[in-house]
Amino acid sequence: MTLVQNFPFFCIILSMFSAIISFPMNHRWAMRVHLIMVTVVLALSLCVLGYTASTGESYTFMMGHFPAPWGNEIRIGVLEALMAVFFSLIMLLSVLGGLAHIGRELKNSRKNLFFILLDLLMSSLLALIYTNDLFTAYVFIEINTISACGLIMIKKEGRTYVSALRYMVMSLVGSSLFLIALTLLYTITGQLLMTPAKEALAELVAAGEYEVPILVIISLVTVGLGIKSGLYPFHTWIPDAYGYTTPSASAILSSLVSKGYLFLLIKIFYRVLDFEFVVSSQVVNLLFMLGILGMIMGSWLAIKTQNIRRMAAFSSVAQIGYIYMGIGLGTTAGVVAALFHIISHGAMKSLLFISISGLSEVSDDKSDFESLKGAGFRNKLAGVAYTVGAMSMIGMPLLTGFISKYLFASAATTALQGKMVIAWIALAISTILNTVYFMGSVLTIYHSVPAEQRKPHGMMPSRVESVGTVGLIALNVGLGVAATPVIQAIQTGLAIFG
Amino acid sequence: MLGNLLTNYEDVAAVILFVIGMGNLLLQSNLVKKIIGLDIMDSAVYLFLASKGYIEGGASPIYVDGIMDASYYINPIPAGLVLTGIVVSVSVSALMMALTICLYREYHTLNLDEIMLKLGKEEM
């Protein structure tokens, strides 16, 4: 075993230990530890990506000294390494982009807690990406939920408590359903590791036994993780949770936390339940319909709201719908598009949330459209950043959102004809709705205002924040211009994922 | 059908308890009752899990009387999972209680509907 193969394990342990050692530190040191940790995780994940891309196959890493099927293990391939790279990159840039806000909006005594929660979040996301064990996945789902709840309520205001409560209630139902599914799976297969469970399940399916329990397992896993990632009818917690917390936290919650669950769902579909079997069980059709509903309803709700942060949050509902639509197409191309959109939406939405905070702080900290008029003149960098994010969401060429939409549209051709037509119509309607509200908001922030209102007032972004924002803009443009290697990595990763 | 329900009576009890708990968690407006609902829901899942590990007539899986044969004992893994699960649900309940305390300090009520009403007035 080479040294590089140990890196994924190092990443998980490193982020978990940074959370532990940050407890006695003051907020400056906690921040430094967090930033160093994420940078190191990014560097290590890049090495792992290079290594797995060069070998072209995945490997398992034994945790402890018990081999499968008894021990616990993580499994690393190109896809997992790619996700780890993007998750840590987006985490780093979002934290940098909102650093001054964290300084202003939180009390000093709570700031180190914020970074501890981020450390825990990072470790649970990495564990969800890498783990090959179902029960470990459950435990880290809960760690993820708890740290996300902490991030939502970190401002300690009445509003944020209520959002955190709503988030917790929905999330806990989701994780309980997931645990029941896991119990059922363990009962009929006797395995908790994903790869042996798949073999046992394949035998049962071939023998035609336990048809109903297997169907129940698929539905419970899908609904459980669907609730947690904000699939359309279960989206009610999203706008509050993303709309009121501190900007870095909104960016991370919308672009990473829900994506961790989505990635886990795809992983279970591929590695435990066998994607072809899931497709034949019709559950994907349900996901397809809910995804389409989410795409349209999310955009519709976003048009109706008058608050720019809630608008971005509702837009997340629509974008999660895109991802589920891609999975629901039931073809490999659809899943590739969904996985690309996981990365792409992460880059777009974190940029939007970070730039919205920059715009609202030069508008007396208000985020309704009336106060935001001309904000793009007052804070030029945030204005440009918001415009790039919005254009990317709409699907302008040369930006990452365009590649996503292109992939979804071309993936639809590989699906059944009925689905293809529905997917195309939904994509068209959703793009029009996206254009309505994103162009509307861009026009609002560049609305002509008298000269004295164009002068910057309030806090101006610090240099670090500018680095974060520029980094996110570069990520959006970079993914839009040079998407081919990423798409290829997703394709090769998916081929060895199961 | 009825016979199946009777032989799997633990599962039936677990499902009924789960539905009661989930109903309370989602529908109750009193925050403390919500948390009680959450605990009932979690316990139902653990009952289900634990009953799956029990093998009729098996001994507790502690190796003292020199019997190496696995069929002599019950399956210890579900019990281990339940223990882990209990730890998770304790921390989640603790977090929910902390949230409840914070909300009570802010709004002086445990009723979620009243809290939403006060919140609406604040934003006016």
Side-chain angles (χ1 to χ4, degrees), chain A residues 135 142 146 149 153 158-159 161-162 165-166 168-169 172-173 176-177 179-180 183-184 186-187 192, chain B residues 18 22 31 38 41-42 45 49 52 75 77 81 84 88 92 95-96 102-103 106-107 112 116 119 123:
Chain A
F135 201 77
E142 292 287 30
I146 291 173
C149 175
M153 59 184 278
R159 208 34 168 133
Y161 293 142
V162 178
L165 190 79
R166 282 188 157 182
M168 281 306 275
V169 168
L172 292 174
V173 173
S176 284
L177 293 178
L179 186 58
I180 296 180
T183 312
L184 273 174
Y186 176 70
T187 315
L192 283 171
Chain B
F18 185 83
M22 191 164 82
L31 293 173
L38 166 71
M41 186 175 84
D42 280 344
V45 181
L49 194 51
K52 291 295 157 201
N75 183 359
I77 294 175
L81 300 184
T84 319
V88 170
V92 170
L95 182 63
M96 288 285 278
C102 290
L103 275 168
E106 195 90 11
Y107 296 104
L112 194 60
M116 295 309 285
L119 202 62
E123 280 179 359

Side-chain angles (χ1 to χ4, degrees), chain A residues 222-413:
Chain A
T222 314
V223 174
L225 291 174
I227 292 176
K228 291 183 83 82
S229 56
L231 180 61
Y232 168 64
F234 317 113
H235 69 287
T236 42
W237 54 270
I238 283 189
D240 283 1
Y242 298 173
Y244 297 105
T245 177
T246 181
S248 287
S250 312
I252 289 164
L253 284 168
S254 67
S255 48
L256 302 182
V257 173
S258 51
K259 305 301 156 55
Y261 303 131
L262 271 163
F263 186 76
L264 182 67
L265 181 67
I266 295 176
K267 175 145 83 176
I268 290 177
F269 276 178
Y270 268 80
R271 205 173 281 173
V272 184
L273 301 170
D274 192 10
F275 193 58
E276 278 167 24
F277 180 68
V278 176
V279 171
S280 65
S281 76
Q282 312 291 325
V283 172
V284 285
N285 296 345
L286 181 73
L287 281 183
F288 182 74
M289 290 319 294
L290 292 179
I292 299 257
L293 265 176
M295 282 160 72
I296 292 169
M297 290 309 292
S299 302
W300 175 246
L301 292 167
I303 290 178
K304 285 205 302 185
T305 178
Q306 286 304 312
N307 180 315
I308 193 165
R309 283 185 78 175
R310 284 178 71 86
M311 184 197 86
F314 277 122
S315 147
S316 290
V317 178
Q319 304 298 321
I320 297 282
Y322 276 83
I323 298 171
Y324 275 109
M325 192 265 294
I327 302 173
L329 285 173
T331 59
T332 312
V335 180
V336 170
L339 283 166
F340 185 80
H341 198 61
I342 288 180
I343 296 171
S344 159
H345 178 236
M348 296 189 276
K349 204 36 77 64
S350 46
L351 177 61
L352 279 176
F353 273 116
I354 293 295
S355 58
I356 285 172
S357 71
L359 292 173
S360 68
E361 72 186 350
V362 291
S363 316
D364 304 324
D365 277 330
K366 290 195 175 126
S367 50
D368 56 304
F369 286 122
E370 192 55 39
S371 323
L372 281 172
K373 276 186 180 163
F377 299 115
R378 294 194 285 274
N379 186 343
K380 294 207 170 54
L381 179 64
V384 172
Y386 184 80
T387 314
V388 172
M391 291 297 153
S392 191
M393 280 284 178
I394 294 169
M396 279 285 177
L398 294 182
L399 291 169
T400 175
F402 171 73
I403 310 283
S404 290
K405 289 213 164 114
Y406 170 74
L407 284 177
F408 278 120
S410 56
T413 56

Side-chain angles (χ1 to χ4, degrees), chain A residues 137-153:
Chain A
Y138 166 72
V139 172
F140 279 99
I141 283 177
E142 292 287 30
I143 296 179
N144 207 340
T145 309
I146 291 173
S147 43
C149 175
L151 286 180
I152 295 173
M153 59 184 278

Side-chain angles (χ1 to χ4, degrees), chain B:
Chain B
M1 185 69 196
L2 195 67
N4 277 347
L5 288 182
L6 281 178
T7 40
N8 296 319
Y9 62 94
E10 297 113 329
D11 303 4
V12 177
V15 169
I16 293 172
L17 280 175
F18 185 83
V19 173
I20 292 174
M22 191 164 82
N24 271 301
L25 177 64
L26 293 176
L27 303 176
Q28 281 285 355
S29 60
N30 185 311
L31 293 173
V32 176
K33 288 184 185 167
K34 254 190 194 322
I35 299 174
I36 294 173
L38 166 71
D39 286 339
I40 295 176
M41 186 175 84
D42 280 344
S43 310
V45 181
Y46 303 141
L47 171 65
F48 184 55
L49 194 51
S51 73
K52 291 295 157 201
Y54 181 69
I55 298 162
E56 196 68 51
S60 62
I62 304 166
Y63 177 69
V64 279
D65 37 8
I67 302 172
M68 295 288 278
D69 185 14
S71 61
Y72 179 71
Y73 302 106
I74 65 162
N75 183 359
I77 294 175
L81 300 184
V82 169
L83 278 179
T84 319
I86 287 173
V87 173
V88 170
S89 81
V90 163
S91 39
V92 170
S93 310
L95 182 63
M96 288 285 278
M97 283 176 206
L99 255 175
T100 307
I101 293 172
C102 290
L103 275 168
Y104 186 78
R105 284 199 185 136
E106 195 90 11
Y107 296 104
H108 308 290
T109 171
L110 285 174
N111 190 319
L112 194 60
D113 297 335
E114 282 176 33
I115 293 175
M116 295 309 285
L117 217 63
K118 288 188 178 177
L119 202 62
K121 273 184 202 154
E122 254 176 38
E123 280 179 359
M124 280 296 177

Side-chain angles (χ1 to χ4, degrees), chain A residues 72-90:
Chain A
N72 194 345
E73 60 186 27
I74 57 179
R75 186 170 145 183
I76 303 101
V78 182
L79 192 56
E80 290 93 325
L82 186 76
M83 285 293 159
V85 167
F86 275 101
F87 278 23
S88 48
L89 184 61
I90 292 171

